[in-house]
Structures are given as C-alpha cells and as structure tokens.
Amino acid sequence: MGLFQGLVFFLLLYLLQGSNSSFVKLNDNGYEDVIIAIDPGVPEDENIIEQLKEIVTTASTYLFEATQKRFFFKNISILIPESWEDSLQYKRPTHESYTHADVRVAPPTILGRDEPYTRQFTECGEKAEYIHFTPDFVLGKKLNEYGPAGRLLVHEWAHLRWGVFDEYNEDQPFYSTKSKKIEATRCSSGISGLNRVYTCQGGSCVFRKCRINSTTKLYEKDCQFFPDEVQTEKASVMFMQSIDSVIEFCNKKNHIPEAPSLQNIKCGHRSTWEVISNSEDFKNSPPMETSPPPPVFSLLRPRERIVCLVLDKSGSMSLSDRLNRMNQAAKYFLLQTVENGSWVGMVHFDSTASIKSELIQIKGNTERNTLLERLPSVASGGTSICKGIQAAFQVIKKKNSQLDGSEIVLLTDGEDSTAGSCVETVKQSGVILHLLALGPDAAIAVIQMSDITGGKHLYATDTAENNGLIDAFGSLTSENANPTQKALQLESKGSTLNSDSWMNDTVIIDSTVGKDTFFQVTWSKQPPKISLWNPSGTPVTNFIVDTASKMAYLTIPGTAQVGSWTYHLQAKANSETLTMTVTSRAANSSVPPITVNAKMNKNANSFPNPMIVYAEVLQGYIPIIGASVTAIIESNSGITQVLELLDNGAGADAFKNDGVYSRYFTAYSDNGRYGLKVRAHGGTNSARQSFQHPANRAAFIPGWVVNGEIKQNPPRTETDDAQTVLETFSRTATGDAFVMSGVPSGPLPDLFPPSQITDLHATLDGDNINLTWTAPGDDFDVGTVREYIIRISGNITDLRDNFDDALQVNTSDLAPKKANSEETFAFKPGKISEENATHIFIAIRSVDKSNLTSKSSNIAQVALFVPQEDPSPDPNYPGPGSNPSAGVNITTLVLSVVGAVVVVTIIVSATICFLNKSNSSRRPRTAF
C-alpha cells in the first residue's frame, strides 16, 4: 500500500466506523436528514402524510423537554411510494430510499397487530435499524392502546438513536422487591396503579385482585398493571411515555437496577439516561437557551430508476480474466437484476472515458440485448475514475437536468491517486454511487464516495469460483421497489475442477418465488456439459450459449415449478472454474417472498476489535427461525472463512428467535477489504415463521384507573404465537464490504477474550442452586474457555461494579464445554457479607487459555423472603379473614433471573409473621 493510499485508508477508518444505514446527523442540537418512508404496499392516503407531520412536530417538542433542552427534530424527509399519484410538491429524492429509512410506515407484521416497534438487534448504546409504524397507528386509530403518537415516537427514537431498551418486560411483568412486595416491572416505582385480572364467568365480567402463583410466587399469568390516569411522577419515557406527567428518562437516582426490565438486562443495570448521557449526541450537545424551531418537511417521491454503468477497461483488467468476469457479471445485471422500466446507460474508462450508450429504458429483451453489445472487449490504458464519473454525469443529464437520485455503478480494479479530487463533486451531485471493487488494488478513496451518497460498497477478489463479482452485481436491485418486484438470488456456487469432473447440486424453488427464474453458468476455459432437470425429472435444455463471454443462461417461462431443480456441470478442461447462479422473483405480488439481508456491524475496523456478522431472514416483516445460515467472508488475498450464524440469543446474538442470525468474526488474515456473502437454507420441517411479538415493541395500555375504577381499553388483537412450518427454501445475499487495518502478519496473537454470557438462568434442586447458560468460546464465541469464575453478593451494584471483591463460588469441578453448548452447574450458596440482605445476586465471568477475561454476565437474583399478598380489599372476591400473627414453617426462596423466574420452597425451622399492611409505596390517586 502506497503512502497516499495508506493515509486515505486510515482516514476512512475514522469516517466509516458504523454500518448503520441511516443518514441522520446532529447539527446544532437538531436532527437532520431523518427519513420517514411509506412502504410501496400501503394504499394511497394523503392523510398519512399530514398525520406524520403532526406526529413529528409534537414529538420534537416532547423530545426537547425529555432530553433537558438538548435535542429536537430539524429536517424530515417523507418518502412517498412511486405508485402514489404525483404532485407538484413532491421532489425527486437524492440519497433517500426505503432501505435507508429511519421510520417505516408499513403494513403490520401480522394482520391485526398494529404495535409500533423498533428493529433492534445490536448491543446497548448502539444505533438500531428502523422504527416500524403501521398506517392505522399513524392515522390515530390506536390512540387508546398506545397513547399519543408523538410521545411514542420519542420512545422509539431512544431505541433507534441511543440504543436503550424498554423499562418493562412482557415475559416478566412482575418481580419481588427489597420491600418484600410484588411490583410491576417499571421505572420509576413512583408510577402508581392497580394490579388486576379481568375475568368473565357466566356472562359477567369483573376485575379481581391478582393471585400469587404457587410455583413462581409472583402474580398469575393474566395479571396486568393498570396505571392511574392522573400521576405526578415524571419518569420514565422508556416505561410509559403516554402518562401525561412523564417528561423524563429514568436516571441514576430513580432507576431500579433490580427490576427485570430489558434495559437492565441489556445495559448492565444502568438507567436509560446514563446510557443516553454517554452517547456522542449528548457529549456534543449542550442544552439550548431558546426553544427550537418547528421541523421542516420535504416530500419526496421516486421516479423511474436511472442507472449508468461505469466500467473500468484499463490495462490491469486484462489480468486474472477480470475483463471477461466483469462482462459476465454485467450481463447478469442487465439480463436479470435491473428492473423493467429502468433507464440504463454505459460508460467505459481507462485514462480517458467514452460514452458507449445513452440512457435506454428497459422494456424487454431488445433493450437488454442492445446494452449487452456495448460491453468492452479490450483492456488497455491507465485509470481515471473521475473521468468515468464525469462522463456518467453527462449521460444522466441528457435525460434529467438534475442528477438527484440517479445511480452510478462503478466497477474498478486499479489504484488512482487522483480519485480523491472528485469526492466533493460526487457528494454535491445528488447521485448514489455504488462501488464494485475488483481485486486488491481498487482505489480505497472511492469507498468514501459510496458511503456519503448512500451507495453500496461491494468487493470481489480474483478467485472466480467464489462468484463474488456476479453476486455483487446481483445485489444492486432498486432500493425503492416493492420486494415482490426484485430479483432474489437462490443459488451462487462455484468450483475449480479437473477435466470430466462434476459439480452437482440442487436448487430449491419455493412457492414464494418462481417468476422470471434465471439460470446462469460460467466457465474459465471450455464450455462444460450442462444438465438441468425440473422437479418432475424433465430435462431443461434450451440454454443460450455465449462462447465469447464464456457463459450460458436461460429463463424459465412463466412461473417455475415448485421443488428441487437438479443440475450437473461437467468440466471439459483441467483447472476449470465453473459457477452456477440462480435468481427468481416473487410468484405472487400479494405474497411477500422469503428474503435474506446481510451486513456487518461496522464498515471499517482495526485489529484486535471483533466484527459481528448479521443475517436477517424474513418473509415480509415476519421472522424466519430454525434456518441454517452461514456466512462466507473472503479476505483481500482470497482467503475464505465460513461461519455458522446463530439465532440463539447468546454471544453476538441479541435476541433468541427474532430472525436475526449473528456471530463474531475474528479470523483476520489481511489488512484491506473483506467481502461478505450469506447463505440461508430452510430444510423440511425445520424453518418456520415466528409469530411472537417483537422484542422492542411499544407497551400496550390495558386501561386506566380513574377515580379508583378501571376504565378498560379494547383488548389488543392476540394471535397464536405458534410457529408455521415452512417448506424448503434457499437464498443467498451479498453484504457490503468492510475494511480492516492493523492486522499483524503471521499467526495472530491471542487478544480475543471470551464473549459475555447473556442468558444466565437459575433453578433450585434441593439445597443446590442450578445455573444454566450458553457457553462462550475461547475467542468470543469460538472454541472453549479455560474456566468460569462465579461470584455472589447481596448488592447488585456492588457485584456489577466490584466483581472481584464478591464472594467466589467453588467451580473446581466445572469443566467448560465448547462454545454455544448448554452449560449447567449446581452449587450451595455461601454466606454473604451483607447483613439483612433480601436478595443474593449471581454473575459469571469466563477466562480463556491466555488468561483473558470476559465481561460479567447478566445477573441472576435470589430473593430470600415470601412476597406479601396485595392487602387491598377485593370486593368482587372477598377472602376469608386473616390472622396477622399466624405463622408458617417455611421460607420461600425466589429465584428471579433474566428472562425467567423460578421459585422453590425449602423447609426450615423458622417462623415468619405476615403483617396485614396497606401498600404505603403507592401514591394517593387524584380524581379529576
């Protein structure tokens, strides 16, 4: 790497630290470039636009107040579907697209479920993906269930922007407190209300007191917390922002670290305000002295897609068969990927640039074939990327005076020291630039162009059998098109074979796809023997053979038959590289296809920090769980690593069974670019749709307590959480490349500790406490740790902040298992130092063979008391009189653990008196 390129490289590491697709930036306390996109599947309704303006305007005022005069919404773009009627007030987008939207207005995940939520699968303090509102929610039809939409937007914005979590937990809505009572999981405890069950019998329905479950010693399953409508408590926005008095986030003073909220589980028992205060936004934004202006809105509507291919034909493209591979991939893009109705032009460049095709609107095979004939045939000359880009500007401007929203697909393989000279021009132009970097020497400066314009940064090595270049072109579908119109990659496979050897496999066509199904075969030397059979066993033989480009292809007419398509490719030369690529589109425009999206947690990183791979498998917005998902990561030098991705809620995976498959990646081999491809396969009776609610959904308000009486809201639509088993399917997807620096040559030193344990659970068996958790690895989630350190304390914050000072449990007989195995361990709790402790808290750290230690696990709780019954009278179910001096000969040990609460009873010689007190912690309710 030259000096200039090295300087640019390290500058980019500073500029490209995140992979979040949002364009939001903070400028003088105001959030700019916020994108709200209306899904193409939403029926046209101008009221949605007006309501969005009202929601954001109201939210801006509330955000300003809740953040102590620090933040507000300044500039908002509302992206309107192309299918909606045009208007003079609608402008053409520049970089704004549905893919980059911060808020999506889309149909509900499941019909009838209009719950707002934030798609959040990253770590605490990291930005989330997007907020999902449904049209009915935006139109104000769910006001009773979720409260004012402006306030709720601020709640979800805190998820999205600052990476905080909810201060409730629907899996564990109640817990036992230090005061020996059962309380609703919330923050702060000053939020008052009633815990009640709504029950019906014989046509009569009443609210009754919640009963304690004999197993968990917490309230029964149907118990709900009904807040008082009139409150004075100011916190917290992340519990129930719909309460009029709530205008603050919970802070260190009023936070409840023992509550089993998602915020505590995910953020180390820190308050939401502590996490927000540690964000870059907060550090760079002192409080304002004046009130902020109202938000400014821009209404944007996409037009026809405009794409100009800018193809490198410099002398270095003659190496490693690059020119031919580029042409194979470009033909794949032109024949299958780019959508009908799009406008496509073409520019070639070396040290100069030439326009090979003005923009042509794709209507069918005639236009596609015309463009195929314009691909370069000879490689020679130097490299001038900026001249190629300037020629593309000329092509686009002949149709549109403005470049806004047009796309440039730039493929280059060479260094160009002058590429930085046009970065600012590209930035100001309004185009979206996608970079396809081929080989190890492609100009790194161009990465900045793709990043600042919202384009993709894709990478392919000279290893043809990995099919990286074809995969890269295949990922360039329209970001604003309906998913049912996009080409989806079902297969991408390659192999290097000797003469007469075979590459045999099957491709699954599932029922959600099948339209425009396209098979493409490539070779490096001689045309192979190609055999293809449909699921009925009928041979398919009408491949079009393009010997000049060393490829053959065919399109299945109509809708391809559902099932397994079998192919056999026989090499006809030694060291022959063969590839097979298969794509298809949705079979039915009203049925969303199964899709896979791949990404890394960062665009750039430095050793020894780990990367995280994410693959999201969905059908529409419904998560697909139980799939087999693997990531293929290819380094700058062509070294390939394969990772199995997991949706197990451990290690790098934030939530179990949310359709996001994750894994740490640390097997670095080079500095420079790494490419990412993901394969997902659903086997028979394994993959299934998950109908469970999103982890970070808005709290449903069951009703309000008004003058001592509960005013119930209409119950929310509940659907069965049972999972629908899917047919067999397969998908591949290409993610953006990432750049590594500081990777040492030779064997890597062991600088990777075990990953944090995040799913510690506890039960009791006799006198022993049984712990279960998912095993971490020697290097994050790979390998086997050397040992575990388990400590206990009577104070949760002491255990969190002073782990090494807590009482250690003897683990000499605990032999760690391989990463991602289930671990179990039983121990007898020792005597803790804190007097009058009501809880025992348990945490684990892992140590690897290099003596590197993990972060402390989530903290399990053991409560040492019998929770008190609710002493308030129950007029609907009067109970027998109680004797306050009556005693019992049992102590109940309550085990309150992240994600689960287990209670076990131990017979001991003790007498505990229960005093029939009123609940002094609840604030007096104020009548209207």
Side-chain angles (χ1 to χ4, degrees), residues 23 27 34 37 41 77 94 126 142 202 262 268 281 306 323 368 440 520 591 655 706 884:
F23 289 107
N27 184 13
V34 179
S77 295
T94 52
E126 296 185 0
K142 302 297 175 181
L262 286 176
D281 286 357
I306 297 175
L323 187 72
R368 295 178 189 271
Q520 176 173 302
V591 178
F655 293 99
V706 182

Side-chain angles (χ1 to χ4, degrees), residues 197-510:
V197 171
Y198 183 67
T199 183
C200 297
Q201 187 174 4
S204 176
C205 298
V206 296
F207 289 97
R208 64 165 172 80
K209 288 171 54 178
C210 298
R211 298 166 182 165
I212 293 180
N213 181 286
S214 60
T215 302
T216 66
K217 289 297 185 286
L218 294 174
Y219 286 140
E220 59 195 294
K221 178 182 177 182
D222 294 329
C223 182
Q224 292 179 295
F225 176 72
F226 294 85
D228 291 330
E229 186 173 53
V230 178
Q231 307 263 358
T232 58
E233 183 60 43
K234 295 182 178 181
S236 167
V237 172
M238 296 311 292
F239 171 63
M240 197 168 286
Q241 75 291 327
S242 53
I243 295 174
D244 289 343
S245 64
V246 170
I247 56 172
E248 296 177 355
F249 291 91
C250 256
N251 55 42
K252 195 171 184 178
K253 292 182 179 179
N254 55 21
H255 181 61
I256 309 170
E258 297 84 6
S261 66
L262 286 176
Q263 172 64 22
N264 278 331
I265 294 169
K266 296 295 183 183
C267 295
H269 302 268
R270 293 177 295 156
S271 69
T272 54
W273 190 244
E274 288 176 88
V275 175
I276 294 169
S277 300
N278 196 45
S279 68
E280 291 300 316
D281 286 357
F282 189 94
K283 294 174 183 177
N284 296 326
S285 301
M288 296 174 62
E289 296 181 357
T290 59
S291 297
V296 176
F297 295 93
S298 300
L299 303 183
L300 309 175
R301 178 181 172 274
R303 271 63 173 180
E304 306 105 324
R305 187 182 187 192
I306 297 175
V307 184
C308 187
L309 300 180
V310 180
L311 306 177
D312 188 345
K313 57 172 288 292
S314 62
S316 57
M317 289 293 290
S318 63
L319 304 174
S320 303
D321 200 30
R322 290 177 183 172
L323 187 72
N324 186 62
R325 289 181 57 217
M326 178 185 72
N327 287 343
Q328 292 172 344
K331 288 185 177 184
Y332 171 65
F333 174 80
L334 293 169
L335 287 168
Q336 178 67 4
T337 304
V338 68
E339 302 82 4
N340 278 337
S342 303
W343 293 81
V344 181
M346 189 183 300
V347 169
H348 300 173
F349 74 94
D350 42 44
S351 54
T352 62
S354 58
I355 296 172
K356 293 300 179 180
S357 176
E358 303 291 352
L359 291 174
I360 299 175
Q361 188 172 29
I362 303 295
K363 298 179 181 178
N365 290 335
T366 300
E367 294 79 17
R368 295 178 189 271
N369 289 330
T370 298
L371 288 162
L372 295 183
E373 295 171 358
R374 309 290 171 83
L375 292 169
S377 58
V378 178
S380 64
T383 303
S384 178
I385 290 171
C386 289
K387 288 183 179 179
I389 292 172
Q390 289 162 3
F393 288 171
Q394 295 176 35
V395 171
I396 296 169
K397 284 185 176 180
K398 286 186 178 181
K399 180 181 186 327
N400 284 343
S401 58
Q402 300 295 322
L403 298 170
D404 292 353
S406 301
E407 298 172 66
I408 291 177
V409 176
L410 170 65
L411 185 143
T412 183
D413 76 334
E415 292 188 28
D416 180 1
S417 60
T418 66
S421 64
C422 58
V423 169
E424 188 61 26
T425 301
V426 172
K427 178 181 178 181
Q428 298 299 327
S429 68
V431 302
I432 299 169
L433 188 144
H434 305 292
L435 169 63
L436 277 64
L438 175 58
D441 299 321
I444 291 178
V446 190
I447 300 174
Q448 189 179 0
M449 296 186 198
S450 64
D451 184 69
I452 62 179
T453 64
K456 294 186 176 182
H457 170 209
L458 304 164
Y459 175 61
T461 69
D462 287 323
T463 307
E465 68 182 77
N466 290 336
N467 215 23
L469 200 52
I470 288 175
D471 294 339
F473 267 102
S475 70
L476 296 174
T477 56
S478 171
E479 294 186 337
N480 288 316
N482 192 307
T484 62
Q485 300 170 357
K486 297 182 179 183
L488 304 174
Q489 197 173 67
L490 311 185
E491 173 73 298
S492 172
K493 184 177 180 180
S495 184
T496 298
L497 307 169
N498 286 325
S499 183
D500 295 328
S501 297
W502 293 87
M503 186 173 91
N504 304 326
D505 212 334
T506 59
V507 179
I508 306 299
I509 307 291
D510 61 273

